[in-house]
Amino acid sequence: MRWLVGWSSIAASFGTAGRVAGQGPAHGSGRRGYPDTGHPGGSAPPHGGIADAAHAGDPGADAERTVHPVGSQLLWGDPDPLWAVGDWRPDEIRTLTADPADPFTRLAVLGCCGATDAELRRALYAARGGALRHLTQWSGSYTAVVQVGRRITVVGDLAGARPVFYTPWASGTAYATAALPLADLIEAQLDIGHLAALLACPDSPEALGDGTPYAGVRRIPPGHALILREGSREITGYEPVASLAVAGPQADPDRAVEGVREALVDAVRARLTAPRHAPDTAPPYDPGPVPGMGPADRRAARGGPVPGVGADLSGGSASATLALLAAGLPGAPGTLGSPAGARLLAVTFNDLATPQGREDELERARAIAADPRLHHVVVAAAAEALPYAELDGPLTDEPAPSLVFAARERRRLAAGSADHFTGHGARQVLDAHPARMADLLMDRRRRHLLRPVAALARSASAAGASGESLLVPLTVYSAARRLARTTYRAGMEAAAARLREGGVTERASGPVDASLAALTWSRPGPAAGWLTGEALAEVSIRLTAAAGRPPLSLRPGEARARAVLARHAADHRVFEQAVEVRSQRLHAPFLDNQVVRAARALPESLRVQPGARAAILRTVLSSTGVRELPPGWGATAHSPNETATRLGLRAALSDLLALFAAPLLADAGLIDARVVQQALLDAAEGRPVPLDGLAELVSMELWLHRLLARRGTCWTGTSAARRRAVPEGVPVHRPALS
């Protein structure tokens, strides 16, 4: 896990090494790589400026100031130190100063950023005056930190894939791009209310708020920045948001699609132009020549990525678009030392345990891989790659449903490249949330509802409900009209009342039911039906309190779409940590700032049409020279493989029952162990059970066990006590006496 951490306080010194910038030519040059903070010859670090104002009598001058992250690299020191922790590549960290004579006006950018040094310097000048949006307009995925005197600004991204967390610390504020290090720093306990909200209403930021699983550690919302002035904090948005419920003028569809194309191409190009890295050789070592296997094949067999650039090729439109763009753009997508135009590694996963249902997608993947610029690799696996096959794994920053599928995905990614593209986020960024139909009604654009409603009626007819399909248009229109006339406050209060009354057992059985369930301001998650009444009541209190705080947008479709994107981006971040392969970087260009901005400019009337995402991506490929696509390209992606999930549950049933024999979630008062065990038995026997809800419960239970089993900490120091999050374990819930 890679993260950055720093803090700002009234105190001017924290005893960090190399406290003042300007220690050599690295500072101010804007070069890629770590700044030189060493002291050759054993000389003392240079002094001067604000850092020298510290003395023994300063408030906070105690043992707390000597702590520093384990395995960290100091980017700059006192008065407001900043560290980078983890296996960052040298080109993923860039620092510069505005003027060598002003070492306390500086910028650090961590991640994949396509900006030039001149662009970084111009953005630093703009940020010095308070303009923050310039720090988010470059292609790539990154986190920017700006220091101007004693003012520190940390900028998050629009989607939420690169969040920023903060907590009070040492008469000031500590911040990081991961929550666990801050929880270790303050020895935070679990926030049981947040865990309950994460299970009851995962797609509702109103229930989650700005909290995290750790009490006292907060998260800034997507599209916002954290500003610290000598420890005092302020959270401000950098993206313009309309405050009225009336939509602005609609953008031209052709120009909007062209903006998506430019943003997506720039996002892919930013990864291709970055320096190539050879993966570290990890044991077991290469046994030597094997008949019929080259070095790359032997590395893949050992479970390590090959050098170069690769991409997923599942047969869907998102992964195929990224693979074809990366293979066609100028650059060297192949291995180190290979000439320009080398073939890009395209990886397809073939589930041998449940081969039925994905034949069309695999055939499309083979047809796309016939492109001479692609080198196609099919990763086949059977029972060993089923969901729930491996319940052991690394500790992630937060819980997410991807923990139960991590071993399955890691097997596929291990055969990929050191830089690997994935299509995650395309659906949430480009598709229209069903609640956007209510936005169209608010704008009196009823005619744009004809095609999506007709598509839902056809899906109901294809499912065998021909009689009910006649009522689908009226039912969907009525639900959209009701949502358009429901205020945010009334919607939140209705959702809170639904949780208190226990009305959380509904389950969508098809596209029509799913669309109707989504036409609301807030709805329960799939795991809410297994929560105790007290847990649901606590979440309902959160929703009631949120009813008095208006959201960023009063339009239900826009607000729900932003919430779903934020939830998916947070889950994708945990997914990256859970499936992490040594020396590999996963790239999700659809979650980049510029791609998200371009997609938000798409007219709602275009987004709600059936097949809009495939049409947009087809236009993107056509404008870049790719015009021949296999038949069926862009078809709706297959639903989650329920057969594979049930097979995995059946195979791991004994382990899962043992996991929930004395679950930590029951100790916290969130679930009843016997009810969940019965649900596992029902799912293994094929009875109708929300499988995605079970995945959320199992993932959270696994995450709690891994968190409590760890013995390490993210911090060390000469006189600091051992700091670890949740030092006393999960608080045991004692039910109130009736």
Side-chain angles (χ1 to χ4, degrees):
M1 187 166 63
R2 295 172 300 278
W3 43 282
L4 64 88
V5 62
W7 50 58
S8 176
S9 176
I10 299 174
S13 174
F14 283 88
T16 58
R19 295 181 296 175
V20 181
Q23 302 166 15
H27 292 273
S29 64
R31 71 177 181 91
R32 297 175 183 262
Y34 296 119
D36 182 12
T37 57
H39 315 298
S43 58
H47 294 264
I50 302 176
D52 272 348
H55 53 81
D58 280 345
D62 52 18
E64 287 183 339
R65 299 202 210 162
T66 64
V67 299
H68 58 274
V70 176
S72 62
Q73 171 67 47
L74 184 67
L75 300 184
W76 60 58
D78 288 341
D80 303 300
L82 176 66
W83 290 273
V85 186
D87 60 336
W88 293 94
R89 294 173 176 174
D91 60 286
E92 290 177 330
I93 299 182
R94 302 171 65 180
T95 61
L96 59 85
T97 57
D99 187 347
D102 182 14
F104 292 102
T105 301
R106 46 196 173 186
L107 167 67
V109 178
L110 292 88
C112 178
C113 180
T116 63
D117 292 345
E119 291 173 334
L120 291 180
R121 196 176 302 278
R122 286 195 296 269
L124 177 56
Y125 292 147
R128 184 170 57 181
L132 302 180
R133 198 168 186 266
H134 299 273
L135 299 170
T136 67
Q137 293 182 330
W138 308 307
S139 57
S141 179
Y142 49 85
T143 301
V145 183
V146 177
Q147 181 183 28
V148 180
R150 294 302 311 276
R151 186 184 72 194
I152 299 292
T153 303
V154 192
V155 184
D157 65 336
L158 287 176
R162 285 185 169 270
V164 178
F165 305 89
Y166 66 93
T167 186
W169 165 252
S171 302
T173 301
Y175 62 89
T177 54
L180 181 59
L182 297 182
D184 279 350
L185 184 64
I186 65 173
E187 297 183 333
Q189 298 295 332
L190 285 173
D191 187 345
I192 302 301
H194 181 85
L195 297 180
L198 201 57
L199 292 173
C201 300
D203 293 337
S204 297
E206 298 84 6
L208 298 174
D210 62 350
T212 66
Y214 314 99
V217 179
R218 301 295 178 186
R219 178 200 312 260
I220 69 169
H224 287 67
L226 175 66
I227 301 177
L228 306 175
R229 293 180 176 89
E230 296 187 358
S232 64
R233 55 185 173 272
E234 173 190 355
I235 298 176
T236 182
Y238 55 79
E239 201 72 1
V241 178
S243 60
L244 300 177
V246 180
Q250 290 287 303
D252 179 66
D254 294 336
R255 292 178 59 88
V257 174
E258 179 67 16
V260 173
R261 183 197 68 82
E262 293 179 357
L264 200 54
V265 169
D266 288 344
V268 174
R269 182 182 288 116
R271 275 79 174 187
L272 290 180
T273 55
R276 299 275 76 83
H277 294 271
D280 296 336
T281 301
Y285 300 100
D286 192 343
V290 177
M293 297 179 66
D297 298 324
R298 297 198 301 272
R299 179 185 290 272
R302 297 196 309 273
V306 299
V309 179
D312 288 339
L313 189 60
S314 64
S317 57
S319 63
T321 299
L322 294 179
L324 292 173
L325 285 179
L329 290 176
T335 60
L336 286 168
S338 60
R343 295 195 296 172
L344 179 136
L345 180 64
V347 180
T348 301
F349 181 76
N350 185 14
D351 190 353
L352 299 179
T354 56
Q356 297 82 13
R358 295 197 59 193
E359 293 83 355
D360 293 341
E361 287 192 7
L362 293 176
E363 186 60 33
R364 286 196 296 269
R366 294 189 185 97
I368 295 172
D371 191 310
R373 297 170 297 182
L374 297 177
H375 173 58
H376 195 207
V377 172
V378 178
V379 179
E384 68 276 7
L386 286 172
Y388 303 94
E390 297 181 19
L391 299 181
D392 293 332
L395 173 64
T396 56
D397 198 40
E398 298 178 277
S402 57
L403 296 184
V404 300
F405 307 102
R408 180 184 182 92
E409 301 295 335
R410 193 183 303 113
R411 184 178 298 271
R412 170 178 58 86
L413 295 172
S417 298
D419 289 274
H420 197 80
F421 286 97
T422 178
H424 287 189
R427 182 189 306 275
Q428 290 74 19
V429 170
L430 296 178
D431 283 7
H433 192 278
R436 287 191 181 273
M437 291 190 288
D439 292 358
L440 291 174
L441 289 180
M442 294 173 65
D443 300 335
R444 301 182 183 276
R445 295 173 180 162
R446 299 180 182 87
R447 61 186 180 88
H448 296 297
L449 297 180
L450 294 177
R451 290 182 59 190
V453 170
L456 289 174
R458 287 194 298 270
S459 66
S461 178
S466 57
E468 297 179 2
S469 63
L470 299 177
L471 301 177
V472 166
L474 179 60
T475 304
V476 174
Y477 179 82
S478 300
R481 188 166 177 260
R482 183 167 54 252
L483 177 60
R485 295 185 174 187
T486 303
T487 63
Y488 169 78
R489 185 183 188 92
M492 288 295 106
E493 291 176 348
R498 183 179 179 184
L499 290 180
R500 288 194 301 270
E501 296 167 1
V504 296
T505 57
E506 296 182 7
R507 185 189 177 203
S509 58
V512 177
D513 292 338
S515 298
L516 292 175
L519 285 168
T520 179
W521 277 104
S522 177
R523 61 172 177 171
W530 290 299
L531 296 185
T532 61
E534 291 184 54
L536 293 176
E538 183 170 351
V539 179
S540 71
I541 294 174
R542 287 172 170 249
L543 290 177
T544 303
R549 300 188 298 267
L552 294 176
S553 174
L554 294 176
R555 300 168 61 82
E558 183 179 355
R560 291 302 95 193
R562 289 174 183 263
V564 170
L565 174 59
R567 184 70 258 154
H568 177 81
D571 289 345
H572 173 74
R573 173 174 167 269
V574 176
F575 168 81
E576 285 185 306
Q577 300 169 3
V579 303
E580 186 176 10
V581 177
R582 182 180 177 87
S583 302
Q584 186 180 64
R585 295 290 188 271
L586 294 184
H587 302 286
F590 286 102
L591 298 178
D592 288 2
N593 285 342
Q594 289 299 75
V595 178
V596 172
R597 276 199 186 96
R600 287 179 178 174
L602 292 171
E604 291 177 346
S605 57
L606 171 65
R607 298 164 68 102
V608 300
Q609 304 308 319
R613 170 162 47 102
I616 293 171
L617 296 180
R618 186 185 294 271
T619 303
V620 169
L621 290 176
S622 177
S623 60
T624 56
V626 180
R627 297 179 176 85
E628 295 183 2
L629 296 171
W633 186 89
T636 304
H638 72 287
S639 58
N641 196 333
E642 183 174 317
T643 304
T645 303
R646 291 189 184 275
L647 287 176
L649 275 168
R650 192 174 298 119
L653 184 59
S654 59
D655 294 334
L656 293 175
L657 292 176
L659 180 68
F660 283 92
L664 298 174
L665 289 174
D667 293 342
L670 299 183
I671 64 170
D672 186 336
R674 293 172 297 178
V675 174
V676 176
Q677 286 181 325
Q678 185 60 47
L680 291 171
L681 293 172
D682 292 342
E685 294 176 2
R687 297 190 182 95
V689 173
L691 298 179
D692 46 355
L694 277 181
E696 293 182 3
L697 284 177
V698 174
S699 297
M700 187 169 290
E701 184 68 22
L702 288 174
W703 179 80
L704 288 174
H705 279 273
R706 295 173 188 177
L707 178 65
L708 299 184
R710 69 189 286 252
R711 291 295 178 264
T713 177
C714 298
W715 299 91
T716 186
T718 56
S719 59
R722 184 183 183 88
R723 299 180 181 273
R724 187 167 64 89
V726 198
E728 300 177 2
V730 176
V732 178
H733 173 73
R734 292 180 175 84
L737 296 177
S738 57

